[in-house]
Amino acid sequence: MTKPDESLLAHLNLGKATAYTDQYDATLLQAVPRQLGRDAIGLAASTAALPFFGQDIWHAYELSWLNHKGKPMVALATFVVPVTSANLIESKSFKLYLNSLNQTRFRDISQLYQTLVNDLSACAGDKVSVTIHHVNELIAFQPTWIQGRCLDDLDIEVDTYEFDAGLLKLTGVETVIEEKLHSHLLKSNCLITSQPDWASVFIHYRGPAIDHESLLRYLISFRHHNEFHEQCVERIYLDLMRLAQPEFLAVYACYTRRGGLDINPLRSSSPYNPPNIRLTRQ
């Protein structure tokens, strides 16, 4: 397995002692080239087009600023980073940047909105969509459940906790099926700090039947794997695509909150609106 050149990540504040500022500072945002992770899964930069569609959907729970009179304001926010962006936004830097708004005055919410769009888009290298939510808004943050069968109910023995794509198998049944599966047992570790990242993963596909026990063992094998959230989802997507060559595939991972942010990467073989999944763990 090819690993990214860690010297290219040396500029990140992740894993380092960091001073916190509550005055606006866009330079706190740090970019990670997506190609570092894509090189590791054999997706060359020379590839004419990405083999998937998707986006990284962030939810922020600790957005605060001052209005023009100095009165504190609070809100929640959703940020959507397109998969075509040159960079992913490193999560600790994202948190530090949002903290820098805490004692910053904005003329009105439209100025705040435009500042977020401009700064996040500059970091990502593509247009980032921003939605600011009132704290009493329920729809976007209402806890729901995941559609389809939960693989976690399978009574299996597990002895592999190191990543192994070779665990994946088809059932051998030639009939094309369509099913929605999910597991709450996805755990990987931060590429830099090795801190655990917890997620529930939703898989929707149409094609040759994937063996459920092998899929669950495969997802569990990420348990000691070090990689950023977005890169893990792209790895899962490509491994399933290579295995089954399905007519359609979507992989959507809902990671638990850290530092007031959660991330939900989606990768699919065609444009796809995922079900509104908001989990109690987030």
Side-chain angles (χ1 to χ4, degrees):
M1 183 188 303
T2 303
K3 294 184 178 180
D5 184 348
E6 292 188 5
S7 67
L8 299 176
L9 303 174
H11 68 289
L12 299 179
N13 287 323
L14 193 60
K16 302 173 184 176
T18 308
Y20 286 80
T21 178
D22 58 9
Q23 296 295 325
Y24 171 68
D25 186 356
T27 67
L28 291 168
L29 286 168
Q30 296 180 331
V32 176
R34 289 191 187 273
Q35 196 55 46
L36 293 178
R38 290 170 181 170
D39 285 341
I41 55 177
L43 193 56
S46 59
T47 303
L50 291 172
F52 42 67
F53 296 82
Q55 58 264 345
D56 303 326
I57 305 168
W58 295 82
H59 296 105
Y61 302 84
E62 299 175 7
L63 179 61
S64 186
W65 68 100
L66 303 180
N67 71 6
H68 69 288
K69 294 182 177 180
K71 178 183 175 181
M73 310 294 288
V74 293
L76 297 92
T78 299
F79 309 103
V80 180
V81 184
V83 73
T84 52
S85 66
N87 308 311
L88 57 86
I89 301 173
E90 191 280 310
S91 60
K92 181 179 179 181
S93 79
F94 203 162
K95 170 62 174 175
L96 292 172
Y97 165 74
L98 293 178
N99 277 343
S100 81
L101 306 178
N102 291 348
Q103 290 297 116
T104 303
R105 294 194 185 207
F106 290 90
R107 180 182 65 253
D108 51 32
I109 199 167
S110 64
Q111 184 187 20
L112 170 67
Y113 166 83
Q114 199 58 57
T115 299
L116 290 167
V117 170
N118 292 344
D119 293 344
L120 295 173
S121 298
C123 182
D126 204 341
K127 179 66 177 293
V128 173
S129 170
V130 176
T131 305
I132 298 174
H133 307 273
H134 191 279
V135 291
N136 288 331
E137 183 178 332
L138 295 178
I139 295 176
F141 294 88
Q142 184 70 39
T144 62
W145 58 89
I146 305 184
Q147 299 175 4
R149 178 175 180 181
C150 182
L151 297 174
D152 304 346
D153 297 332
L154 295 171
D155 185 17
I156 62 171
E157 291 190 11
V158 179
D159 57 10
T160 301
Y161 307 101
E162 305 295 337
F163 175 75
D164 185 1
L167 292 168
L168 285 170
K169 295 180 175 59
L170 298 175
T171 63
V173 178
E174 296 183 0
T175 304
V176 171
I177 69 166
E178 181 170 359
E179 62 180 347
K180 297 175 180 179
L181 306 169
H182 65 272
S183 172
H184 302 291
L185 301 184
L186 179 61
K187 172 198 170 283
S188 55
N189 302 306
C190 174
L191 181 63
I192 306 300
T193 67
S194 293
Q195 292 183 7
D197 295 322
W198 306 92
S200 298
V201 59
F202 169 76
I203 297 168
H204 180 187
Y205 77 93
R206 181 171 60 254
I210 299 171
D211 179 78
H212 290 180
E213 291 190 1
S214 77
L215 178 56
L216 183 57
R217 289 190 176 95
Y218 165 77
L219 294 173
I220 290 172
S221 80
F222 278 83
R223 203 162 179 84
H224 289 162
H225 184 68
N226 287 51
E227 204 163 36
F228 290 130
H229 314 82
E230 302 93 328
Q231 297 165 349
C232 285
V233 173
E234 292 186 1
R235 184 181 293 278
I236 294 168
Y237 175 91
L238 289 178
D239 284 343
L240 292 176
M241 185 59 73
R242 293 186 186 110
L243 171 77
Q245 298 182 352
E247 299 172 5
F248 168 79
L249 173 64
V251 178
Y252 185 42
C254 301
Y255 280 85
T256 58
R257 193 184 319 182
R258 177 181 290 174
L261 287 167
D262 70 43
I263 182 172
N264 308 265
L266 167 68
R267 303 295 181 265
S268 59
S269 56
S270 58
Y272 181 71
N273 291 320
N276 181 30
I277 299 172
R278 299 297 305 140
L279 302 172
T280 53
R281 291 204 299 167
Q282 291 183 306

